[in-house]
Amino acid sequence: SAERKDEWFEHLPKCGGPEAGPGLAKLLEDHDMRWIAAQALLELEGADGIRRVLSALPANDKAYGDQELFDEVAFFCTRHVAKMKSGRAARQDALASGLLRDRPLATATAAMCLKDLGGSDVLPALKRVVTVNTPLPGWKGAATVGGVVKQAMAEIARRGE
């Protein structure tokens, strides 16, 4: 019910302690709870939370409407990953670990976050997945994983970091 979901949204960010991680990771499978659980994991585990989020995202989720997934991932990257207290290198390493050919949603999420956070040292990891042409339902336009990776690589090269 909508009332129950509202209760979850109110209480989920308050979950704490190492025992909370696995339960929060399971919520990443739920379309409605995914990003609030991801935020709670980042707050709980820092850069290790990035790894847990990326490894627990579903391999493919067709539940998203037009551009909804893009907007949610953009919010996750700019509002949560970018503002974490963990150092930049730790966040880059955690994101690069999520660039996996068989995990399109995790790879697109990692690449989108690396677009703003990554430096030239992550380009080899991005190059390994640039040819993944898996479509991304709910991403603006007719996006593919490789297209998102190419955008990240272009932005990193433009910044010259």
Side-chain angles (χ1 to χ4, degrees):
S1 75
E3 185 176 303
R4 182 164 292 199
K5 284 182 183 173
D6 287 342
E7 289 175 19
W8 273 97
F9 282 114
E10 181 180 327
H11 296 291
L12 201 57
K14 299 174 188 169
C15 292
E19 64 280 352
L24 289 168
K26 281 191 174 280
L27 289 174
L28 295 170
E29 297 171 10
D30 184 284
H31 170 76
D32 295 319
M33 307 304 268
R34 178 169 300 142
W35 301 109
I36 193 76
Q39 175 187 351
L41 276 166
L42 296 185
E43 291 171 8
L44 178 67
E45 299 180 343
D48 287 338
I50 294 172
R51 284 184 180 83
R52 192 186 295 261
V53 167
L54 294 175
S55 68
L57 285 173
N60 199 353
D61 190 342
K62 297 184 188 313
Y64 287 96
D66 186 42
Q67 196 167 332
E68 184 180 10
L69 178 59
F70 174 85
D71 292 341
E72 290 182 0
V73 171
F75 185 82
F76 173 72
C77 292
T78 60
R79 295 289 290 248
H80 300 301
V81 175
K83 296 183 180 183
M84 290 175 64
K85 293 178 183 170
S86 299
R88 181 177 176 175
R91 288 179 285 162
Q92 282 185 155
D93 289 348
L95 290 165
S97 75
L99 296 168
L100 304 169
R101 297 185 71 78
D102 61 340
R103 308 278 303 167
L105 183 52
T107 299
T109 300
M112 189 160 185
C113 292
L114 285 168
K115 182 175 101 176
D116 296 322
L117 183 69
S120 60
D121 50 332
V122 298
L123 288 174
L126 286 164
K127 285 179 184 175
R128 286 193 294 273
V129 293
V130 74
T131 60
V132 177
N133 289 318
T134 305
L136 293 165
W139 208 274
K140 69 179 186 178
T144 64
V145 173
V148 174
V149 171
K150 286 176 190 169
Q151 290 174 353
M153 292 173 68
E155 178 60 21
I156 292 167
R158 186 194 67 74
R159 285 195 320 267
E161 294 181 3

